Amino acid sequence: MSDLRTRAAAPDELDAVLAFWKTAAEGTSISDDRDGVERLVARDPEALILAELDGELVGTVIAGFDGWRCHLYRLAVHPARRRQGIGSALLTAAEERFVRLGGRRGDAMVLRRNETAHHAWRAAGYTPEEHWRRWVKPLVE
């Protein structure tokens, strides 16, 4: 897949990313709206990584680093393009970003019910940590 390109999203591409997630991402997030993605890109312009193949958006990952931890969100590959190395290329780009920033370990938010994603994450060298539990509290209604 030599024509595959990974790069940071541009501010004018955010609507296309949101539409892409409706097709390619599993589940929804409270931040899956224009304001949420704009805030992400304004705060960290390189966090939202896109994969393009012949100019077509085929994948995304959010590689957020807060100075302490490396967080991965929204790894999504278009359903017709899965199992072609796109997810691996996105994770490589994210991991390289983390290393450049001084990160030591990546962690990923993966839905428990998303068995397809479990296989992809394991193939990339990630393992679940069952002794941790995510605790959440919505800050807005």
Side-chain angles (χ1 to χ4, degrees), residues 56-116:
E56 173 192 355
L57 176 60
V58 294
T60 67
V61 69
I62 296 173
F65 181 63
D66 60 14
W68 182 259
R69 302 220 191 262
C70 305
H71 302 286
L72 294 159
Y73 309 92
R74 280 292 182 239
L75 176 63
V77 174
H78 191 283
R81 300 287 191 168
R82 291 182 181 155
R83 303 202 49 82
Q84 297 176 19
I86 295 166
S88 294
L90 284 162
L91 288 176
T92 296
E95 291 164 0
E96 289 172 354
R97 169 179 154 73
F98 292 151
V99 169
R100 279 193 314 273
L101 294 171
R104 297 178 182 177
R105 177 182 64 189
D107 67 60
M109 300 286 296
V110 183
L111 289 172
R112 209 178 274 214
R113 70 176 186 265
N114 191 348
E115 292 293 327
T116 301

Side-chain angles (χ1 to χ4, degrees), residues 7-25 32 34 37 40-41 48-51 57 59-62 74 76:
R7 62 172 180 81
D12 65 348
E13 297 175 298
L14 303 185
D15 289 328
V17 168
L18 288 164
F20 177 79
W21 285 344
K22 288 181 180 177
T23 300
D32 284 358
R34 178 75 187 204
V37 180
L40 168 71
V41 172
L48 176 55
I49 301 171
L50 307 182
L57 176 60
T60 67
V61 69
I62 296 173
R74 280 292 182 239

